[in-house]
Amino acid sequence: MGIFFTRYNIEERSRLIKVASGKLPADIVITNVNIILPHTEEILEKHSIVVKDRRIAGIVEDELVSKHISEETLIIDGSNDYVLPGFIDLHVHVESSLLDPVGFSKIALKHGTTTVVADPHEIANVLGVSGVELFVKASLNLPLKILIDLPSCVPATDPALGLETTPHAILDKEIEQLACLDNIIGLGEVMDFLSVINSSDKVLRKLKIASEKRLIVNGHAPLLTGRMLDAYVSAGILSDHESTSYHEALEKLRKGMWLYIREGSAWRDLAELSKILLEKSNCELCAFVSDDVNVYDLFTQGHVDRIVNLAIEYGLDPIKAIKYATFNPAIRLHMEDHIGLLAPGRIADIVFSRNIKEIKPHTVISNGDIIYYKGELKKSFPRYYYPEEALNTVKLGPLLENPSFTPRIGELNGTALVNIINVQPGSALTKRTVDELVVEDGEIRCDPSRDIMYVAVADRHSGTGSFSTGFIKGLGFKAGAIAQTIAHDTHNLIVSGWNQQDMQVAVKEIVRIQGGIVVVAERQVIAEIPLRLAGLMSIEEPEEVFKKYVNMVEVLHEKYGLNFESYFMTLALISLPVIPEVRITDKGLVDVSKGRLIPLVEDFFKA
């Protein structure tokens, strides 16, 4: 089906040619602006932009623009502002914003983002092929151009390993089927690196389809190095957004991988990786991405504009920073004929900012339409109506009748040597340690003095009753319990807390609201964010979701001194068995490097 805005329209091009040559008037003329050209790293001062339909017909000096104007032409006086191409985010999970595609578009566009590449593998894990189709449909006809990476790893690990209960699988035949949808641009992050380096036929068939369909293939290779990295790249996977250190990123660049420099809400790599951008005169294979950015940061800090401004703070030249968010991403997408620069024939994606050293978009044009003018929304967004099956996805089955989330060893008393998941809020990585915990009447006790708390993961998709329990150390959570249906990538229900009762209240509330985030203290729900769409996204207006998010942040900060974002995202990744070192799923603890389950209790000493 292809990408909608790249289709050649003879009538459109004919009008564009006539406007460019002065035979027809423009729809919009933007005068008195300083045009940033990231492709040549220049600024054209005191120029005008001529727009017809959705494309730019010409870039002309201000004194020559009059022949493109008629009574019907809308003239925008740029007041000596800087204008730059619309930002492009090469890798984002819209679901992580907690907004649906419509809500996300409203806020992203306000901050100057006009194109994103979304990987909907979160909703795909919950709803399968129908989830991807639903996401694509909801993304069409929006002012924000949402291109789609097809999920490559649903589930994240090979079901034959038996590491977790997974409701859906997207195999090569599904990839081939979905590749025919509108706006499919790539194959999403290939997380199952073990299958890649072991030449798994299942993975290689997906890569073959991507090659035949001319889809861009995106990687996910945290800490891969040496021969393992060579093997991964040799499969044809040529990008990565998981580099967190200078040396890791530099090795990947040297081996021909696109370096997606991530600055999200929880995983912030720009400070470290900007060293490469400052060291190299020009990084041809570098681009900025957000990966996961929540509704709070979207409202309070921005989207790609936030990354560009941080890069400038770290010492990067402003035009180069803009280049890594516009022209370079367009090159990666093979779409520099359409987006990523302000030039004739390109889509009129135009962002106004008073200052180049700190980008603050106030007027945003996308596809030739004025979306925001001086901060005021000028374009209506069509609401999308989701089917009921997408809004009722939390099914715990028999587990809900008598939920038990604390680990047990019969009816014994004593001490146990327990495998513990050590976390560091703000980092995706975990470590495994063995700690001694008290056992009373068969229950292995958590230990608040050492910040060791309970954690449990339960199948919430098919009502099997499958669940497991364990312990987290270092989360720093001080309320009673937190439960959420955001638990990458299978998105089973995860709950963590200090006592059984608060954990039970949190889980029952999650079922009642059919997905979201719930925080409980002293048997009472103190804050919640309902996320009915697949248990991942809200279908409310983004302003309402933001208010509920702010309420949760404020309640937890004021009462408990907690940084909500750091532990929410950390907890959301505790069940993802593809990022080292140890994780927990509904089947138990997982040793990621070995791809196998390990026991919770290593040894027991009877009292």
Side-chain angles (χ1 to χ4, degrees):
M1 299 280 280
I3 310 300
F4 76 94
F5 63 83
T6 65
R7 295 169 189 161
Y8 199 95
N9 183 304
I10 292 177
E11 290 76 16
E12 175 192 52
R13 293 289 179 166
S14 177
R15 290 192 298 272
L16 198 66
I17 293 167
K18 291 173 182 175
V19 171
S21 59
K23 297 174 183 177
L24 278 180
D27 293 332
I28 299 174
V29 167
I30 303 165
T31 65
N32 190 22
V33 288
N34 304 304
I35 303 172
I36 296 173
L37 304 179
H39 54 297
T40 60
E41 299 187 13
E42 295 177 285
I43 300 176
L44 289 180
E45 297 181 347
K46 301 293 185 181
H47 272 64
S48 297
I49 302 175
V50 179
V51 177
K52 181 64 178 177
D53 299 324
R54 58 180 181 160
R55 294 185 183 268
I56 295 171
I59 305 287
V60 301
E61 295 178 3
D62 280 345
E63 57 267 27
L64 301 177
V65 76
S66 59
K67 68 177 182 179
H68 299 284
I69 296 172
S70 74
E71 292 181 356
E72 289 74 34
T73 302
L74 174 64
I75 301 172
I76 300 175
D77 182 353
S79 303
N80 204 34
D81 278 358
Y82 292 92
V83 294
L84 53 141
F87 295 124
I88 304 168
D89 190 342
L90 281 176
H91 178 70
V92 62
H93 301 286
V94 170
E95 300 98 317
S96 294
S97 71
L98 310 185
L99 305 172
D100 75 334
V102 180
F104 177 85
S105 296
K106 286 184 180 180
I107 310 306
L109 279 160
K110 187 173 185 178
H111 290 280
T113 303
T114 53
T115 304
V116 302
V117 180
D119 182 347
H121 75 211
E122 319 298 357
I123 194 172
N125 273 280
V126 178
L127 297 173
V129 168
S130 65
V132 178
E133 293 172 337
L134 186 64
F135 190 93
V136 171
K137 290 176 183 176
S139 300
L140 296 176
N141 304 316
L142 293 172
L144 178 69
K145 292 178 283 295
I146 301 181
L147 307 179
I148 308 294
D149 275 346
L150 295 176
S152 68
C153 294
V154 176
T157 58
D158 188 343
L161 297 175
L163 300 181
E164 58 184 333
T165 298
T166 54
H168 299 283
I170 294 183
L171 306 176
D172 54 310
K173 63 178 182 180
E174 284 82 17
I175 293 294
E176 190 151 23
Q177 169 192 337
L178 291 168
C180 297
L181 296 174
D182 272 327
N183 294 349
I184 306 302
I185 190 69
L187 186 68
E189 50 187 316
V190 183
M191 296 182 291
D192 190 359
F193 65 90
L194 287 175
S195 291
V196 174
I197 64 177
N198 289 324
S199 302
S200 165
D201 189 56
K202 291 181 181 178
V203 174
L204 293 182
R205 285 203 302 267
K206 293 178 183 178
L207 295 175
K208 180 176 184 291
I209 293 167
S211 176
E212 291 172 346
K213 301 287 186 181
R214 301 185 66 79
L215 302 179
I216 292 163
V217 178
N218 297 287
H220 181 285
L223 303 182
L224 277 192
T225 186
R227 286 182 293 181
M228 289 182 70
L229 180 60
D230 289 347
Y232 188 80
V233 177
S234 294
I237 305 169
L238 301 180
S239 74
D240 179 71
H241 63 274
E242 289 290 333
S243 293
T244 57
S245 73
Y246 171 90
H247 293 291
E248 179 184 3
L250 188 58
E251 181 182 4
K252 288 171 180 173
L253 273 176
R254 286 172 171 169
K255 291 183 175 178
M257 298 188 84
W258 272 84
L259 178 63
Y260 291 179
I261 299 175
R262 173 177 57 187
E263 185 71 13
S265 289
W267 325 126
R268 300 178 183 268
D269 306 317
L270 180 61
E272 173 69 13
L273 301 188
S274 63
K275 297 173 186 176
I276 289 178
L277 302 180
L278 293 170
E279 178 182 286
K280 308 294 181 185
S281 61
N282 203 349
C283 186
E284 300 292 349
L285 299 181
C286 291
F288 297 144
V289 301
S290 66
D291 193 8
D292 297 294
V293 58
N294 63 48
V295 64
Y296 183 83
D297 282 350
L298 282 173
F299 268 85
T300 60
Q301 298 182 40
H303 187 219
V304 180
D305 57 335
R306 169 183 60 99
I307 307 176
V308 170
N309 287 330
L310 276 174
I312 295 170
E313 283 185 28
Y314 294 144
L316 200 64
D317 176 81
I319 295 180
K320 285 188 181 293
I322 291 167
K323 183 176 182 177
Y324 295 132
T326 55
F327 187 63
N328 275 24
I331 292 287
R332 169 58 175 157
L333 296 174
H334 309 299
M335 286 192 175
E336 66 275 15
D337 292 354
H338 302 279
I339 56 177
L341 66 160
L342 300 178
R346 273 56 172 203
I347 297 290
D349 294 340
I350 306 167
V351 177
F352 292 65
S353 176
R354 291 295 302 162
N355 194 336
I356 191 177
K357 294 183 179 179
E358 183 182 9
I359 306 299
K360 291 186 176 181
H362 63 77
T363 295
V364 178
I365 296 174
S366 180
N367 310 309
D369 283 335
I370 299 172
I371 311 301
Y372 285 91
Y373 182 71
K374 295 185 177 179
E376 183 180 347
L377 182 63
K378 294 295 184 179
K379 182 81 172 180
S380 62
F381 287 66
R383 183 180 176 187
Y384 192 84
Y385 293 91
Y386 298 96
E388 281 300 310
E389 57 266 26
L391 303 176
N392 295 281
T393 61
V394 183
K395 306 177 182 69
L396 293 188
L399 177 61
L400 191 59
E401 298 172 8
N402 186 28
S404 176
F405 302 114
T406 53
R408 298 190 62 83
I409 305 179
E411 302 296 329
L412 302 173
N413 292 299
T415 58
L417 291 178
V418 179
N419 281 312
I420 307 288
I421 304 170
N422 277 252
V423 300
Q424 180 179 342
S427 172
L429 303 177
T430 64
K431 293 291 184 182
R432 184 180 93 171
T433 59
V434 178
D435 287 88
E436 189 173 286
L437 293 176
V438 172
V439 180
E440 294 182 359
D441 298 325
E443 182 180 308
I444 308 175
R445 300 290 190 183
C446 64
D447 188 342
S449 68
R450 290 184 287 165
D451 198 13
I452 300 174
M453 65 190 303
Y454 300 117
V455 65
V457 176
D459 167 30
R460 63 107 165 172
H461 302 292
S462 50
T464 62
S466 174
F467 78 102
S468 74
T469 57
F471 294 92
I472 304 177
K473 183 176 184 177
L475 191 63
F477 187 77
K478 297 183 179 67
I482 178 172
Q484 57 192 56
T485 47
I486 300 172
H488 300 280
D489 272 342
T490 299
H491 295 293
N492 280 317
L493 187 148
I494 188 166
V495 57
S496 189
W498 296 108
N499 62 78
Q500 175 88 262
Q501 294 78 16
D502 282 347
M503 294 169 77
Q504 289 174 341
V505 171
V507 168
K508 288 179 179 179
E509 179 65 5
I510 282 283
V511 175
R512 187 189 72 82
I513 64 176
Q514 277 300 294
I517 308 166
V518 173
V519 177
V520 170
E522 298 178 349
R523 320 306 186 259
Q524 298 293 319
V525 175
I526 60 172
E528 66 182 24
I529 305 172
L531 303 170
R532 285 202 66 193
L533 179 54
L536 303 172
M537 295 169 276
S538 174
I539 56 176
E540 295 182 288
E541 287 295 316
E543 291 78 10
E544 289 301 313
V545 185
F546 174 63
K547 287 179 184 177
K548 291 173 182 176
Y549 198 107
V550 168
N551 177 66
M552 182 169 284
V553 168
E554 290 179 348
V555 166
L556 293 178
H557 178 72
E558 291 170 5
K559 289 189 176 182
Y560 304 100
L562 293 176
N563 178 353
F564 168 67
E565 180 59 31
S566 63
Y567 64 77
F568 153 62
M569 282 301 293
T570 301
L571 189 64
L573 289 177
I574 288 296
S575 62
L576 179 56
V578 296
I579 301 180
E581 180 173 71
V582 62
R583 304 282 152 169
I584 183 171
T585 72
D586 69 302
K587 296 295 186 181
L589 291 181
V590 179
D591 182 323
V592 175
S593 62
K594 295 180 179 177
R596 64 179 178 86
L597 296 170
I598 58 175
L600 175 64
V601 177
E602 291 285 350
D603 208 345
F604 173 76
F605 305 100
K606 192 173 181 180

